Amino acid sequence: MATTLDVVDAKGKKTGSVDLPGAIFDVQTNVPLIHQVVTAQLAAARQGTHKTKGRGEVSGSGTKPFKQKGTGRARQGSIRMPQHRGGGIVHGPVPRDYSERTPKKMIAAALLGVLSDRARGERLHVIDSFGSNGAPSTKNALSVLENVATSKNVLIVIEHDDEITLKSVRNLKNVHVLTVDQLNAYDVVVSEDIVFTKAAYDWFVERRSTNKKDAAVDAEKKEAGE
């Protein structure tokens, strides 16, 4: 796997390169872990507001619809029973929370694993800018993506205040935009090409590197019994 990645500008020309830290973009891709994290993320997105009415909640008389004997029909106690039209639902869905507890370390490992897979497949890209002369340009953004990311589904990762890139790419077909702090395993899995802006990439690498250093320091303290 390459240890550097080219950075291109809005015209598709190389303007520099960035390092690809092995601890972030060359880690093991644990497919079962990614599946577990993505499944939990999709479950947490469910509203869980489904509800059906039981026998005691539907409208209708509570008296017997006809006498117990002598009619030749099966005995019935109420028209609100499930076998009657408009009756209650048996064991129907009720509001519930579908979210699952997923440790932060698992979420982080899944994200790095799928990013590493995209990096090894040369599906990771860094763009200096999508605009033109400091202004949004959908035409330029489309031209860059046609030269850089040739797949159908593209994920673009930007910084929070990058309005130029957001306005340049938000109307493009099959393009999904996320801020760098929203980056998650599911959106990377469903996207074939991942395109970072230079500023977003630097922020992501710095943040991940800092977290790993802090974790290493905590581990050393724990071993030392502090």
Side-chain angles (χ1 to χ4, degrees), residues 195-216:
V195 181
F196 282 85
T197 61
K198 177 65 165 54
Y201 179 85
D202 291 340
W203 187 94
F204 180 77
V205 171
E206 181 181 359
R207 181 69 176 271
R208 291 293 169 176
S209 300
T210 301
N211 289 344
K212 285 186 176 294
K213 289 179 181 178
D214 292 342

Side-chain angles (χ1 to χ4, degrees), residues 14-214:
K14 179 180 177 180
T15 59
S17 62
V18 293
D19 294 329
L20 285 176
I24 301 176
F25 296 104
D26 193 20
V27 302
Q28 180 183 2
T29 301
N30 189 333
V31 176
L33 172 63
I34 294 172
H35 177 270
Q36 182 177 347
V37 170
V38 169
T39 301
Q41 183 177 343
L42 293 176
R46 299 183 64 176
Q47 289 185 333
T49 55
H50 39 41
K51 176 69 171 70
T52 58
K53 291 184 178 181
R55 177 178 172 180
E57 298 171 308
V58 296
S59 61
S61 173
T63 60
K64 286 175 70 65
F66 46 83
K67 63 181 182 178
Q68 181 84 345
K69 297 179 179 295
T71 64
R73 302 174 63 183
R75 54 193 176 188
Q76 302 292 319
S78 169
I79 61 173
R80 296 189 295 179
M81 295 170 69
Q83 66 268 31
H84 289 282
R85 180 179 180 182
I89 302 298
V90 180
H91 304 307
V94 294
R96 55 163 292 191
D97 181 11
Y98 281 94
S99 62
E100 304 173 11
R101 181 186 175 277
T102 308
K104 292 182 179 179
K105 289 185 178 181
M106 290 177 59
I107 296 175
L111 175 58
L112 296 185
V114 71
L115 282 176
S116 297
D117 178 73
R118 294 296 184 268
R120 285 189 285 266
E122 298 183 353
R123 292 290 187 175
L124 188 68
H125 316 279
V126 179
I127 307 296
D128 187 50
S129 173
F130 282 95
S132 177
N133 298 323
S137 175
T138 302
K139 181 179 180 180
N140 278 8
L142 179 60
S143 177
V144 171
L145 290 178
E146 287 178 346
N147 294 327
V148 174
T150 58
S151 62
K152 182 178 180 181
N153 298 312
V154 179
L155 173 64
I156 296 179
V157 186
I158 65 175
E159 282 196 306
H160 261 293
D161 57 352
D162 193 353
E163 292 292 333
I164 294 178
T165 299
L166 178 61
K167 292 179 180 179
S168 297
V169 303
R170 64 185 176 185
N171 290 328
L172 293 178
K173 186 179 181 180
N174 299 323
V175 170
H176 184 51
V177 186
L178 282 179
T179 56
V180 64
D181 59 331
Q182 294 176 328
L183 192 60
N184 60 86
Y186 170 75
D187 284 306
V188 177
V189 166
V190 299
S191 302
E192 298 171 72
D193 280 278
I194 315 300
V195 181
F196 282 85
T197 61
K198 177 65 165 54
Y201 179 85
D202 291 340
W203 187 94
F204 180 77
V205 171
E206 181 181 359
R207 181 69 176 271
R208 291 293 169 176
S209 300
T210 301
N211 289 344
K212 285 186 176 294
K213 289 179 181 178
D214 292 342

